[in-house]
Amino acid sequence: MNKKIYFIIALFAFTTPNSIAQKKVPTNTQAEKPLKIKSPHLRTFLGVLTDSIVAPLEQVKAVLGAPLKVMDDNNNLLTLTYYQFLYKRKAVTEDEITGKLSPTTSIVSDYFTTTPLPAKWITIIKSELVAGEELYFFDVIAKDSKGLPFYAPNLKIITK
């Protein structure tokens, strides 16, 4: 009797596998393809300064309070959503044993989501900025009119 039950269960299992298995759902091949977005050629500006540039000290101080802008080839302004800013300034260090001063650099950096830089940053940098120091805007992210985010080029300004 026991063998008959096992035989019936085995017969049932082998004759109905398609009714137990999951059926394949037809897939839409277009929905599975990733959306290809052509990244526009972007430029980053601070006032009239763009790219990596060496600029006169007074000109850099004049544009420091200007908003950071990102534009494409068609001169469309993109909405700036995020960037990091680094100020590399000249400093001195003192040898504790001899008391001798030697030149070095110091950096101050932070990230921002609005432009221009906060008034406190602008005031401090304008008062301390000297020739040979660097202002560096990097990790700049901007959105186009469709809301698509893009990385914009970094902007490095060296004072002379």
Side-chain angles (χ1 to χ4, degrees):
M1 177 89 164
N2 205 3
K3 288 182 181 180
K4 286 182 181 179
I5 293 175
Y6 287 126
F7 178 74
I8 293 172
I9 292 173
L11 182 64
F12 178 74
F14 289 117
T15 59
T16 59
N18 290 337
S19 64
I20 297 173
Q22 295 179 353
K23 299 197 189 260
K24 287 189 176 183
V25 178
T27 60
N28 185 353
T29 56
Q30 289 182 348
E32 292 178 3
K33 291 181 182 177
L35 182 60
K36 292 184 180 180
I37 300 171
K38 184 180 177 189
S39 179
H41 179 67
L42 302 175
R43 297 177 319 260
T44 306
F45 293 91
L46 182 68
V48 295
L49 304 178
T50 186
D51 297 326
S52 293
I53 189 168
V54 177
L57 180 63
E58 292 307 315
Q59 183 182 16
V60 175
K61 285 183 178 182
V63 299
L64 190 58
L68 189 64
K69 294 180 183 179
V70 176
M71 297 181 88
D72 64 9
D73 282 340
N74 300 327
N75 291 329
N76 296 322
L77 187 63
L78 280 73
T79 305
L80 192 69
T81 58
Y82 177 90
Y83 64 96
Q84 293 190 56
F85 174 75
L86 180 134
Y87 171 40
K88 184 176 177 183
R89 58 186 169 198
K90 292 181 178 180
V92 293
T93 184
E94 180 181 2
D95 186 334
E96 293 181 8
I97 298 171
T98 64
K100 183 180 176 184
L101 298 177
S102 58
T104 188
T105 58
S106 170
I107 61 170
V108 179
S109 181
D110 205 351
Y111 72 91
F112 301 95
T113 56
T114 60
T115 184
L117 289 168
K120 187 174 184 177
W121 278 73
I122 294 169
T123 304
I124 292 170
I125 293 171
K126 280 185 178 181
S127 67
E128 295 180 2
L129 193 64
V130 296
E133 294 184 335
E134 298 177 16
L135 305 175
Y136 189 48
F137 296 88
F138 62 102
D139 287 344
V140 181
I141 301 174
K143 290 185 179 182
D144 66 0
S145 59
K146 297 176 187 174
L148 298 172
F150 295 100
Y151 273 103
N154 298 336
L155 174 61
K156 184 175 186 178
I157 303 167
I158 301 172
T159 58
K160 66 175 179 176

